[in-house]
Amino acid sequence: MLSFWRSSVAIIAVSSIVSTIHAATPEEWRTRSIYQILTDRFARSDNSTTASCPDGYMGFCNGTWQGIINQLDYIQGMDFDAIWISPVTKQIDDPSRAYHGYSQQDLYQLNENFGTAQDLKDLAAALHSRGMYLMVDVVTNHFGYNGDISTIDYTTMNPFNSASDFHSFCAITNESDTTQLTLCDLGTATDPLPDVYTTLSSVRSEYSSWIQLLISNYSIDGLRIDSVKNVEMDFWPGFQEAASIYTMGEVSDGRVDVACPYQNALDGILNYPMYFQLTYFFNGTDPTSANLLNLMQAVNSSCNDPTLLAPFSENHDQPRFANYTTDLPLNSNVAAFTILADGIPIIYSGQEAMLSGGGDPYNREAIWLQGYATNNLYSHIKSLNHVRKQAISESSSYVTSKLQVIYSNDHYIATRKGPAGSNIVAVYNNLGGSASNQLSLANTGFTSCGSVVDVLSCKTVDVGCDGMLMVDVVGGMPLVFFERAGLAGSGICGN
């Protein structure tokens, strides 16, 4: 049994322990690029690349924290400097409901399927030795239970082990009803996820103590918080204060007026509003850019700080982008937009391999079966992360600058991000491999009569002495430009 740290002595000492741990701030996280890992499906301790894990399998395939350590070269080879892993707490016994980590049974024990306490500490140490951050997924809304609602035994749960610690079961039938969302069950009567009574001061105090201990014991740098909109809004400021590290909440709603208010309580949220429009625009030639552009404007005007949001185009809850289209240019465009948008970008493991699983559980493939190959989008993602880092190294204000749209029509979008001289100009399209066009771009921020490099093709383009940049789109691939002089010493395109 992997019991960890639940004692009165530990709780009394928590404030002194936390003070000795480096707390990664939102400002430090702004510069990061995150690789999301579903722990059970990324890498095994034995380094196998053949161990069976059928597509759609709902059970443990034996991915581990040690397996992640073994594959850090693969992750860092794409220039990621942070990872997000699945929840680490002990789960219920039913593998089909526990392999993903969201059916916790005991906050104060670890999920032994993923490894030991020392393995988790070793993962944090291995990341920090490489200058990388560890983000851990946490769940506060609910627990899991082995059985149906009629037989529920709350004493199997810890630390909340009484019916009075949970809301009575009710089903969510209206996603727009805040009362239902916060009081009712994300599960079903036959597969319950007992909803924690998070308005109780005793529950809030326990969660604050637990999160401080979790962070301190395992040197965690950031939190991804599950099902944020299913907990009342006034829970989050206290939890954020207790954590004292960057928090990123999951508000799985495409409506800006629903998602953005949660940034009043947490540092950041997953940019679900942009996700839905981003993947819609890039998954075929029929959509036009208007909805995506309007959505971006709405996020900028409604969210407290879009540069602390987390853009993404795939995750473990949504179909893979390649499930919509296997067109390489379209997949390249959506990955580029994700990494170069405002905020802290996230790429879900397997996106680099263009895995094409549909909805849950088919989007939870075993990455080791790809052999950690470096084809498809692997080098593409590395180049994108690399030029983003170069822009940040040239000017720290790159990460706080807002993305500007400098050109658009129905099927093309050109953006600029960063102060003049250290800015990135990117050109995207949704026309796929058949796209071919020449565009004239103004307001690029580039030096007149200078030269820029498309870091994806390594082609140099001259900037006109009138400041105009003429670019050629070939084969539908995105273009990502940076001033040639600013690439000196970067290793990008031979500089």
Side-chain angles (χ1 to χ4, degrees):
M1 182 176 291
L2 295 173
S3 179
F4 60 103
W5 27 262
R6 179 58 173 164
S7 71
S8 58
V9 173
I11 291 177
I12 291 170
V14 69
S15 61
S16 61
I17 293 172
V18 170
S19 67
T20 66
I21 301 297
H22 170 69
T25 65
E27 288 69 30
E28 290 169 309
W29 271 96
R30 284 185 210 274
T31 67
R32 300 284 156 160
S33 183
I34 303 170
Y35 186 72
Q36 182 200 349
I37 291 170
L38 196 69
T39 302
D40 183 65
R41 302 300 166 88
F42 180 66
R44 293 166 50 100
S45 298
D46 61 8
N47 293 321
S48 174
T49 56
T50 58
S52 177
C53 185
D55 287 348
Y57 179 62
M58 297 176 66
F60 287 104
C61 289
N62 300 317
T64 63
W65 297 318
Q66 181 58 53
I68 297 172
I69 294 171
N70 296 347
Q71 296 300 332
L72 287 180
D73 283 348
Y74 173 81
I75 298 170
Q76 202 168 29
M78 288 179 280
D79 242 345
F80 288 104
D81 45 22
I83 65 170
W84 150 23
I85 63 172
S86 305
V88 301
T89 48
K90 181 183 177 181
Q91 301 290 295
I92 61 175
D93 293 335
D94 183 353
S96 71
R97 294 157 59 184
Y99 72 94
H100 43 63
Y102 296 97
S103 295
Q104 64 193 6
Q105 187 176 54
D106 191 333
L107 292 181
Y108 291 99
Q109 293 187 51
L110 289 178
N111 186 342
E112 61 186 8
N113 293 283
F114 295 163
T116 66
Q118 190 59 53
D119 290 337
L120 185 52
K121 292 176 181 178
D122 288 347
L123 174 58
L127 288 163
H128 293 157
S129 72
R130 294 167 176 257
M132 300 174 72
Y133 282 175
L134 173 63
M135 174 176 281
V136 171
D137 210 325
V138 296
V139 183
T140 61
N141 176 67
H142 59 267
F143 276 58
Y145 180 66
N146 286 311
D148 63 39
I149 199 67
S150 66
T151 63
I152 197 162
D153 179 4
Y154 292 104
T155 65
T156 62
M157 304 169 200
N158 186 50
F160 312 120
N161 54 20
S162 168
S164 62
D165 294 323
F166 295 86
H167 295 127
S168 298
F169 177 81
C170 55
I172 298 174
T173 59
N174 182 358
E175 287 287 335
S176 297
D177 186 333
T178 302
T179 300
Q180 280 194 22
L181 288 176
T182 56
L183 298 183
C184 294
D185 202 296
L186 278 174
T188 65
T190 56
D191 183 4
L193 294 171
D195 196 80
V196 182
Y197 205 148
T198 46
T199 54
L200 296 176
S201 59
S202 58
V203 168
R204 293 186 177 193
S205 177
E206 186 73 47
Y207 267 132
S208 291
S209 297
W210 165 71
I211 199 60
Q212 289 179 333
L213 288 167
L214 181 72
I215 290 166
S216 65
N217 277 289
Y218 299 104
S219 303
I220 296 167
D221 303 294
L223 301 176
R224 183 269 188 184
I225 307 173
D226 186 63
S227 51
V228 162
K229 72 175 182 178
N230 298 98
V231 178
E232 63 279 358
M233 182 77 77
D234 67 4
F235 173 89
W236 296 117
F239 189 80
Q240 167 86 72
E241 182 179 5
S244 296
I245 57 177
Y246 174 73
T247 57
M248 177 182 73
E250 179 209 24
V251 184
S252 53
D253 199 299
R255 294 169 294 179
V256 172
D257 62 334
V258 172
C260 283
Y262 287 90
Q263 206 185 13
N264 297 328
L266 295 169
D267 292 323
I269 58 173
L270 289 160
N271 197 340
Y272 258 103
M274 190 176 81
Y275 161 79
F276 290 111
Q277 295 301 331
L278 179 68
T279 52
Y280 175 67
F281 174 66
F282 282 114
N283 72 25
T285 61
D286 290 335
T288 62
S289 64
N291 286 346
L292 175 57
L293 296 176
N294 290 337
L295 185 283
M296 291 164 59
Q297 288 181 342
V299 168
N300 278 338
S301 62
S302 300
C303 283
N304 276 350
D305 187 349
T307 68
L308 283 175
L309 304 185
F312 66 99
S313 43
E314 287 189 10
N315 67 25
H316 61 297
D317 291 324
Q318 304 297 331
R320 297 277 191 180
F321 185 76
N323 183 257
Y324 299 123
T325 174
T326 57
D327 183 86
L328 177 62
L330 290 175
N331 277 267
S332 300
N333 273 274
V334 80
F337 202 103
T338 301
I339 292 174
L340 300 179
D342 287 338
I344 305 163
I346 300 173
I347 294 293
Y348 178 37
S349 57
Q351 187 168 357
E352 71 277 12
M354 287 179 58
L355 297 185
S356 58
D360 166 15
Y362 296 96
N363 54 359
R364 300 173 177 183
E365 307 96 325
I367 304 304
W368 60 79
L369 295 177
Q370 307 303 312
Y372 307 103
T374 57
N375 54 2
N376 293 310
L377 298 181
Y378 187 94
S379 296
H380 178 72
I381 289 171
K382 176 181 180 178
S383 296
L384 294 164
N385 277 329
H386 199 164
V387 74
R388 181 176 180 270
K389 284 185 177 180
Q390 184 63 17
I392 294 168
S393 71
E394 289 286 308
S395 174
S396 60
S397 65
Y398 174 87
V399 292
T400 55
S401 67
K402 299 286 184 65
L403 192 75
Q404 302 174 50
V405 176
I406 59 173
Y407 176 89
S408 69
N409 63 26
D410 282 352
H411 299 290
Y412 287 86
I413 300 173
T415 63
R416 167 187 168 183
K417 182 173 173 66
S422 57
N423 59 301
I424 294 173
V425 169
V427 181
Y428 310 99
N429 74 89
N430 73 340
L431 295 175
S434 63
S436 179
N437 203 351
Q438 185 175 76
L439 304 177
S440 179
L441 304 180
N443 191 32
T444 63
F446 292 142
T447 304
S448 298
C449 302
S451 60
V452 296
V453 176
D454 170 23
V455 301
L456 300 180
S457 67
C458 292
K459 293 181 179 179
T460 298
V461 179
D462 291 330
V463 181
C465 292
D466 59 357
M468 299 298 291
L469 179 66
M470 302 293 293
V471 302
D472 293 309
V473 176
V474 179
M477 293 298 287
L479 306 171
V480 177
F481 295 102
F482 201 79
E483 289 217 7
R484 184 174 181 178
L487 294 178
S490 68
I492 297 173
C493 293
N495 287 279

